[in-house]
Amino acid sequence: MTEREERRTSPTERRTSPTERRTSPTEEDRTNPTEERRTSSEEEPPTSSEEERRTSSIELFWDLVFAFAVTQVATLLSRHLTWPGFAHAMLILALVWWAWSAFVWAANAQENDSATLRIALLVGSAFIFVSGLAIPYAFGSESLLFAVTYAVVRLLHLALYADASRRGNAAWSAIAGFAVTVVIGMALLVVGAALHGSARLVLWTLAVAIDYAGPAWLTRERLRGIQRVAVAHFAERYSLFVIICLGESIVAIGAGAVTVSARNDLSAQLIAVVTLGLLTIAAMWWTYFDRVAGLAEHHLRRHRDPVLAAADGYSYLHLVIVAGIIIFAAGVRLLIRTPAAVPDPSVRLALCAGVAVYLTGQVGFALRMTGMFLYGRLLIAAALLILFAAGSGLSAVALSAAITGLLAVLCALERLAPVRQSQAASLPSR
């Protein structure tokens, strides 16, 4: 037996399962690129010999229920397109997003055919659906209904994670750390629902801040060892949610067009605004899925610190991406209603700023995951804000055409002068 073989078989050395990801460019890594490296932590979850998983049908069902909740957030914003209304909608979106993202992590630590996962998602679907029903009135008569049903969903997430820890797929020390912030946050949410006005807003904002701060800062070091990230499943889940949100924008355009055409015939202006809106959404899809999503998954697969990278890039920075889509969806809902008129400044701001926020979120995501700075997206985001400031006299058609045109320029430039993926792949992970 050679010295190398002795080192590989020594019981004192670290062992790796066939699905573990590694970062060192050894010969063994090159022959098995799907291997994952063990994340360093005080309490490491055991290895698994299963192949990397993909999204299951029960998770897709779960996503459909959350699609309704996302639609309700856009409804809330479109009904109250003011600065206070914007603050309310973004606060609710932060809660909805965090619940969905939390279950992605918990499901990622479960087995493919876990009965516990199915039961938890089915029960959670019922509660999040009721919570979604209450979203448009969350700051009014249905605040307590929203808070209680939402809190049940978050506690189900903790129970699911506890089950994963019991099965040896997640580290209990990390789970116990952020469980404290979850319980505190949910308590503040329920108490705030019983209050009114600014007191409720303050308590709910504090609840969100504490809940988000748990994994991000308060228990960050322990989070490293919570579980091994099944990269394909993880990246696919977040990509699907982006699709869901883009789909909400398409539904908003279609529903608005049906409502307007029921009162009048399909006018040329309406057809133009609808078509340009759909092209804008297609361009938004292109900017995310043409290169950014694939490169991020590639870098996560070989990252030195995959859990923290996934938490930063997907759980946190994707909220900015999703928020941009929802803001745009609320604006396009209102734009469709009066396709022949000059849009209200609030509608123009929602359209331009929504896309700008979406692109800015991609910049942060790509920078965290790949080390690339997508300056072209920032330039287009700045141009969109200039369009808002200077486009007060533009009609709905002209405004839609300008937004679509700017995104088309971005997509074309990236295709004509693409970032070489081989160069991007050689960048060191941050």
Side-chain angles (χ1 to χ4, degrees), residues 169-191:
N169 296 330
W172 175 249
S173 61
I175 298 169
F178 64 75
V180 174
T181 60
V182 170
V183 172
I184 294 174
M186 294 307 98
L188 290 173
L189 193 71
V190 174
V191 171

Side-chain angles (χ1 to χ4, degrees), residues 243-398:
I243 288 287
I244 287 173
C245 295
L246 291 174
E248 153 56 23
S249 300
I250 295 175
V251 170
I253 292 175
V258 169
T259 302
V260 173
S261 62
R263 299 194 303 263
N264 307 290
D265 293 333
L266 287 171
S267 64
Q269 293 94 335
L270 177 60
I271 293 175
V273 170
V274 167
T275 303
L276 290 168
L278 184 61
L279 290 175
T280 297
I281 296 170
M284 293 170 73
W285 172 89
W286 186 284
T287 59
Y288 180 86
F289 287 97
D290 181 51
R291 182 171 294 110
V292 173
L295 283 177
E297 179 179 348
H298 171 77
H299 279 263
L300 180 61
R301 197 176 293 278
R302 59 196 290 268
H303 208 284
R304 298 187 184 93
D305 205 350
V307 172
L308 294 187
D312 294 340
Y314 288 95
S315 295
Y316 288 96
L317 289 173
H318 263 64
L319 175 60
V320 181
I321 296 174
V322 169
I325 301 174
I326 299 303
I327 296 169
F328 173 80
V332 81
R333 280 188 179 202
L334 300 176
L335 184 72
I336 296 295
R337 296 178 184 176
T338 55
V342 174
D344 186 82
S346 61
V347 175
R348 191 172 73 252
L349 178 60
L351 293 169
C352 295
V355 180
V357 169
Y358 174 74
L359 295 176
T360 303
Q362 288 188 27
V363 172
F365 174 57
L367 185 62
R368 178 63 179 93
M369 299 304 297
T370 71
M372 294 188 304
F373 187 79
L374 305 177
Y375 61 89
R377 283 167 172 73
L378 281 185
L379 292 177
I380 296 299
L384 286 164
L385 296 181
I386 293 173
L387 176 63
F388 160 72
S392 58
L394 293 177
S395 66
V397 175

